Amino acid sequence: MSLLAIIGGSGFSDFPALEIEASRRVETPFGETSAPVAIGRLDGAEILFLPRHGAGHRLPPHRINYRANLWALRALGADRVVGLAAVGGIGARFAPLALAVPHDLIDYTYGREHSIYDGEQDALDHVDMTSPYCEELRGVLIRACAESGHPAIEDGVYAATQGPRLETTAEIARLERDGCDLVGMTGMPEAGIARELGLCYASLAFVVNWAAGKGEGAITMAEIESHLRTCVGHVRKVLGIVATAG
């Protein structure tokens, strides 16, 4: 039976809706995960949950051990992974509070461990990333958003930037010229490593601010946190539907 794992980002350092039955530390070839993996039930369905930034949101995007996180989820039996992503909106459709299920991405990060094929583990492989997200799981997320009463934008190009600082106006203008609709800091190498591990991976993004130069004035944490609180409630409903969809 398919086992769903959820990787929580901003706003999801913990997951009160999850009835935790066990917590596991998993030894991986790549070191420690961001936190122990929680095994529990969401609306009666068994799932795994791992906070990407660790307990208390302590790990910045460039310090996350993406390889260990995804390896551990697979080792515990997950075959589907939803990566939650609080993002900035670039395209006009992607206003704050929008939900989106991106279909493609561009990686602008650097200095991160981007692959399980580091010359020390398995033989080298070059995985296909023509479509970086699992289309089956994207469809499940899109249908769940509609059923929840918070329909998602069904496409979008996610720009993965280095962080932890936010981007400049000129950087966002560049991303827009490149065709990006959303900007976040954790979408890669997470999606690429999931593909290397044979996991069905998709992102559920929720917009918590206009990207630099797209709104009025400077971006404030108060604005982000306000939108984040609203989005967390919407995403919680969607995840319950996804978990029980089997």
Side-chain angles (χ1 to χ4, degrees), residues 99-187:
L99 302 183
V101 182
H103 75 286
D104 212 337
L105 60 82
I106 302 178
D107 186 6
Y108 299 92
T109 66
Y110 51 88
R112 303 183 183 188
E113 294 289 355
H114 273 72
S115 175
I116 65 171
Y117 299 111
D118 57 4
E120 298 180 6
Q121 307 300 328
D122 298 318
L124 177 63
D125 192 11
H126 302 281
V127 297
D128 174 41
M129 290 290 283
T130 302
S131 299
Y133 300 111
C134 173
E135 283 301 318
E136 178 184 356
L137 188 52
R138 285 188 69 248
V140 171
L141 286 169
I142 289 167
R143 291 190 293 273
C145 288
E147 186 176 338
S148 76
H150 303 287
I153 300 169
E154 298 182 9
D155 61 352
V157 177
Y158 175 110
T161 58
Q162 182 70 355
R165 68 166 178 84
L166 299 177
E167 301 73 29
T168 70
T169 300
E171 286 170 335
I172 293 300
R174 173 200 174 193
L175 300 183
E176 187 169 31
R177 290 193 298 271
D178 286 351
C180 299
D181 301 297
L182 302 161
V183 59
M185 302 174 187
T186 57

Side-chain angles (χ1 to χ4, degrees), residues 217-241:
I219 301 168
T220 68
M221 288 309 299
E223 169 196 15
I224 290 174
E225 289 168 1
S226 174
H227 291 150
L228 190 58
R229 285 192 293 271
T230 301
C231 287
V232 164
H234 297 169
V235 170
R236 159 67 184 89
K237 292 180 182 178
V238 174
L239 294 176
I241 295 168

